[in-house]
């Protein structure tokens, strides 16, 4: 039996497509491209900065840090946590694209504060019939988790530049960053 994910696009009801956020995004992109002025930007971030943060929709990373296109790498996931894939991205960022400073930013009211790894695994198992072979990386307390994530970066042999490794909590209520940890000397 075909899963619903294999259903051809043409069989999705027209009404569902009519309200698509992707279609709205494509329309916005056409306007964006008409006024596009970043064709000359180099791929290496000019501020030599990599930012790791949560995928939360309320966080406008460039705006809240006063950054512009071309200045920093932004690596996002649920929670702003360090897994093998963030190590992969940071290794590429430092080794191939020259970044030297790292900011890790978690935030208040994060969804990952509201669930445990076990709860998510159970929920997914209930829906999919199998448990995920990965962890949710739920967060207990921001002030404890930020330093824990920084230490994962500092401990990685693949991230050579950790003398400017700093961790923050962003308050979605005020827009302010609060520094909670740094790892001088890696
Ligand atoms: Zn979050």
């Amino acid at each position: 039996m075909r899963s619903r994910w294999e259903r051809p696009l043409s069989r999705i009801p027209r009404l569902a497509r009519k309200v698509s956020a992707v279609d709205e995004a494509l329309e916005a992109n056409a306007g964006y491209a008409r006024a596009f002025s970043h064709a000359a930007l180099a791929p290496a971030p000019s501020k030599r900065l990599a930012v790791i943060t949560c995928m939360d929709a309320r966080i406008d990373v460039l705006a809240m840090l006063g950054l512009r296109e071309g200045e920093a790498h932004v690596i996002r996931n649920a929670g702003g946590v360090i897994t093998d894939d963030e190590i992969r991205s940071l290794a590429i960022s430092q080794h191939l694209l020259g970044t030297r400073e790292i900011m890790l930013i978690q935030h208040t009211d994060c969804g990952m504060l509201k669930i445990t790894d076990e709860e998510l695994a159970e929920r997914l198992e209930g829906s999919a019939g199998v448990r995920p072979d990965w962890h949710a990386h739920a967060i207990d307390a921001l002030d404890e988790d930020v330093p824990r994530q920084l230490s994962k970066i500092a401990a990685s042999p693949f991230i050579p530049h950790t003398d400017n490794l700093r961790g923050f909590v962003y308050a979605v209520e005020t827009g302010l960053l609060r520094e909670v940890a740094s790892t001088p000397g890696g």
Side-chain angles (χ1 to χ4, degrees), residues 95-158:
H95 283 271
L96 303 184
L97 291 155
T99 63
R100 292 294 178 266
E101 294 183 61
I102 299 174
M103 279 183 100
L104 183 133
I105 305 170
Q106 294 185 349
H107 69 98
T108 58
D109 198 41
C110 186
M112 300 309 289
L113 289 160
K114 301 170 186 173
I115 197 165
T116 66
D117 286 10
E118 181 57 26
E119 283 165 359
L120 184 72
E122 279 175 17
R123 189 182 296 195
L124 294 181
E125 186 174 17
S127 148
V130 287
R131 283 177 83 81
D133 59 3
W134 39 267
H135 295 288
H137 295 277
I139 298 167
D140 282 334
L142 295 168
D143 284 47
E144 291 164 23
D145 201 67
V146 169
R148 188 177 307 131
Q149 302 306 324
L150 290 189
S151 60
K152 288 190 211 172
I153 300 171
S156 172
F158 305 114

Side-chain angles (χ1 to χ4, degrees), residues 23-37:
D23 284 339
E24 287 181 5
L26 287 174
E27 201 176 318
N29 176 256
Y32 176 77
R34 275 194 292 276
F36 190 67
S37 60

